[in-house]
């Protein structure tokens, strides 16, 4: 598993200063200590000194409190939204407009893989599906 403060691709969590990961895992539930769907595959290291409105740990606690009272919705209110809320509360990098889309795009384009195995775990299913579709359509 990757360490430091990170968010992960496909399923997202955020780590406090003690290294404990939190994720909005299900309706009215914040997972603590591990991601609900396995180890991280990608991460972004976040600089805790870039919090402009509230300190890192208290912002994560406040974000957890908000999302522990919310219904999980795969399309509109999910783990990406939870991490965005935490970043907005802390005013990370002077911004308060993070959302599930900006988090996903940020991780996709700037996230680092935890290793070769995680890279393979992320992209191999897509490559297999693509090859199957090409074979099915007679492209080779």
């Amino acid at each position: 598993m990757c360490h430091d403060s990170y968010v992960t691709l496909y399923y997202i969590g955020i780590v406090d200063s003690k290294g404990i990961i939190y994720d909005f895992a299900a309706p009215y539930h914040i997972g603590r200590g591990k991601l609900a769907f396995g180890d991280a595959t990608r991460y972004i290291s976040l600089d805790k000194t870039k919090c402009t409105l509230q300190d890192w740990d208290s912002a994560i606690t406040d974000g957890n409190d908000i999302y522990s009272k919310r219904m999980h919705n795969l399309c509109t209110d999910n783990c990406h939204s939870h991490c965005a809320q935490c970043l907005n509360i802390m005013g990370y990098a002077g911004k308060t407009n993070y959302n599930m889309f900006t988090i996903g795009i940020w991780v996709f384009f700037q996230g680092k893989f935890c290793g070769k195995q995680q890279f393979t775990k992320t992209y191999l299913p897509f490559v297999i599906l693509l090859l199957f579709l090409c074979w099915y359509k007679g492209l080779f």
Side-chain angles (χ1 to χ4, degrees), residues 21 36-37 51 54 70 73-74 85 109 122-124 134:
I21 191 163
F37 297 106
C51 301
Q54 193 171 334
R70 294 177 88 147
N73 181 307
L74 187 61
Q85 180 72 44
F109 287 106
T122 299
Y123 288 113
L124 185 61
C134 289

Side-chain angles (χ1 to χ4, degrees), residues 28-71:
Y28 315 108
H29 177 74
I30 302 295
R32 183 178 191 275
K34 64 180 183 173
L35 293 170
F37 297 106
D39 290 341
T41 56
R42 292 177 86 170
Y43 68 97
I44 292 178
S45 292
L46 302 173
D47 183 353
K48 295 175 191 86
T49 64
K50 290 187 176 183
C51 301
T52 60
L53 299 176
Q54 193 171 334
D55 74 70
W56 186 267
D57 286 342
S58 64
I60 291 174
T61 298
D62 289 352
N64 289 345
D65 289 343
I66 291 167
Y67 271 80
S68 67
K69 297 172 181 80
R70 294 177 88 147
M71 177 59 119

Side-chain angles (χ1 to χ4, degrees), residues 83-128:
C83 287
Q85 180 72 44
C86 293
L87 295 175
N88 289 333
I89 291 169
M90 67 181 69
Y92 187 76
K95 294 173 49 178
T96 58
N97 62 344
Y98 294 98
N99 61 51
M100 61 189 271
F101 298 109
T102 58
I103 296 291
I105 290 167
W106 188 20
V107 173
F108 185 80
F109 287 106
Q110 294 184 340
K112 297 175 185 155
F113 283 95
C114 295
K116 292 176 186 175
Q117 184 179 15
Q118 287 76 15
F119 176 85
T120 303
K121 182 179 176 181
T122 299
Y123 288 113
L124 185 61
F126 172 74
V127 170
I128 290 171

